[in-house]
Structure formats: structure tokens, C-alpha cells
């Protein structure tokens, strides 16, 4: 069950008119925090992200399941089921939640390390075309606003000088 704080953040994002993936990112963030704090583990960064997305779908975030061919049929079915449950606002089984926690407790916590998340991000980005990445960057710059862009530019300049 997602924390109240996470649900509130996702609702705030929805009120602000942000995309479903932005709303879902709050749940992924929560999942990574849980792994880092030692509440449970995950086999990989990819699994941690998948758990967060599933939680988001079950919480009612209108995040559509992946299209056919992009992931395994099993993952697609699970995402479809989670999406349907979230849209119907069906309660989550306590037995299922407990079993999930018990299984994840046996997994390592390295999945939420900076290195693992960085590798996952890079490998996911490599699968996208240059045009797609460029489009996403332009969209990000547009939504960031002048103040945000200025702050990001200053940070980039600061980190560039540290690397040299």
C-alpha cells in the first residue's frame, strides 16, 4: 500500500496537469526509498521501477499498460490487470501484500544504488532514437521554465568545472 505522502504528491501532480508518467514517478521514488532504507530489496533497478509503476496503476494513476511487443506478454498482462484494478478502485489484498513483502525481503538492496539506477537509465536511453531523446529534452526544457533552466545551467557549469 502506498504511503499517504506519495498519494498526496501524485494527486498534486495530477491537479497541476502533469502527465501520468510524472504522477507514477512518485511511486517509483517511494519504492527506491524503501529499498534504500532496508524495508525490502529488489533483484534489479528495473524490478524496482516496475514495482513502483504497478503501485501507481493500482492507486488509480491513468498510466496505460505498455504496447504489445515492447515488453513480455506476462508483464503486459500484469500491467493491464493493475490498471483495471486501479480504475475500479478495488482494495489490495493484505495477504498478497504480505507475501510480496516477504519475497522482496530476500532480495538485495543494491538495486537502488546510484550506480544501478544510473546503468538502468543509460540502457533505457540507448534504446530510444536520437530524435526521441532530443524531443524529450526540448519538452523538459520547455516545462522547466526560465528560472529552472537558469538553475540547471548553473549546476551544469559547476559540475563541469569539478570534472576538469
Amino acid at each position: 500500500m502506498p504511503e499517504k505522502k506519495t498519494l498526496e504528491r501524485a494527486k498534486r501532480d495530477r491537479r497541476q496537469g502533469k502527465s501520468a508518467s510524472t504522477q507514477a514517478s512518485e511511486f517509483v521514488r517511494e519504492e527506491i526509498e524503501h529499498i534504500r532504507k532496508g524495508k525490502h530489496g529488489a533483484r534489479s533497478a528495473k524490478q524496482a521501477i516496475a514495482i513502483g509503476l504497478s503501485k501507481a496503476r493500482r492507486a488509480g494513476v491513468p498510466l496505460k499498460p505498455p504496447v504489445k511487443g515492447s515488453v513480455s506478454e506476462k508483464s503486459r498482462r500484469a500491467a493491464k490487470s493493475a490498471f483495471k484494478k486501479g480504475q475500479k478502485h478495488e482494495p489490495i489484498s493484505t495477504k498478497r501484500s504480505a507475501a510480496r513483502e516477504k519475497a522482496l525481503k530476500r532480495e538485495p538492496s543494491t538495486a537502488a544504488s546510484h550506480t544501478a539506477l544510473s546503468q538502468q537509465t543509460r540502457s533505457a536511453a540507448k534504446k530510444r532514437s536520437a530524435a526521441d531523446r532530443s524531443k524529450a529534452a526540448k519538452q523538459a526544457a520547455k516545462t522547466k521554465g526560465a528560472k529552472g533552466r537558469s538553475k540547471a545551467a548553473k549546476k551544469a557549469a559547476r559540475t563541469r568545472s569539478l570534472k576538469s
Side-chain angles (χ1 to χ4, degrees), residues 6-17:
T6 305
L7 289 167
E8 284 167 6
R9 277 199 200 112
K11 279 180 185 171
R12 184 193 61 212
D13 287 346
R14 191 172 194 169
R15 277 194 307 272
Q16 290 175 349

Side-chain angles (χ1 to χ4, degrees), residues 1 5 104 122 158:
M1 188 70 201
K5 193 170 54 177
L104 285 173
R122 286 173 67 91
R158 199 171 53 243

Side-chain angles (χ1 to χ4, degrees), residues 118-157:
S118 173
Q119 284 174 350
Q120 166 58 31
T121 306
R122 286 173 67 91
S123 66
K126 279 180 188 171
K127 290 175 188 171
R128 298 170 76 181
S129 68
D132 197 21
R133 290 197 307 271
S134 175
K135 187 181 170 189
K138 283 175 185 167
Q139 177 65 33
K142 197 187 289 181
T143 57
K144 201 179 270 277
K147 203 174 188 180
R149 278 194 300 275
S150 173
K151 195 174 176 184
K154 283 175 186 168
K155 182 182 178 186

Side-chain angles (χ1 to χ4, degrees), residues 11-150:
K11 279 180 185 171
R12 184 193 61 212
D13 287 346
R14 191 172 194 169
R15 277 194 307 272
Q16 290 175 349
K18 292 184 180 175
S19 69
S21 60
T22 303
Q23 294 167 47
S25 71
E26 293 297 341
F27 293 88
V28 174
R29 183 170 171 260
E30 178 194 63
E31 206 53 42
I32 287 166
E33 276 178 17
H34 284 179
I35 295 168
R36 283 184 177 160
K37 285 179 183 170
K39 188 174 178 185
H40 59 75
R43 200 158 289 187
S44 64
K46 202 171 191 177
Q47 185 188 36
I49 293 164
I51 292 166
L53 294 177
S54 178
K55 266 188 179 181
R57 287 187 179 105
R58 283 177 171 272
V61 172
L63 185 68
K64 292 265 195 281
V67 290
K68 205 169 193 174
S70 62
V71 292
S72 71
E73 199 53 41
K74 186 180 177 184
S75 295
R76 239 175 63 75
R77 270 200 313 270
K80 203 173 178 180
S81 156
F83 179 74
K84 276 184 182 174
K85 278 201 186 256
Q87 297 308 302
K88 289 180 186 174
H89 303 289
E90 286 182 13
I92 297 163
S93 159
T94 49
K95 276 186 182 178
R96 180 181 176 158
S97 292
R100 178 188 155 277
E101 285 281 307
K102 191 178 174 187
L104 285 173
K105 268 188 167 57
R106 292 191 296 265
E107 299 295 343
S109 61
T110 52
S113 70
H114 288 287
T115 312
L117 290 170
S118 173
Q119 284 174 350
Q120 166 58 31
T121 306
R122 286 173 67 91
S123 66
K126 279 180 188 171
K127 290 175 188 171
R128 298 170 76 181
S129 68
D132 197 21
R133 290 197 307 271
S134 175
K135 187 181 170 189
K138 283 175 185 167
Q139 177 65 33
K142 197 187 289 181
T143 57
K144 201 179 270 277
K147 203 174 188 180
R149 278 194 300 275
S150 173

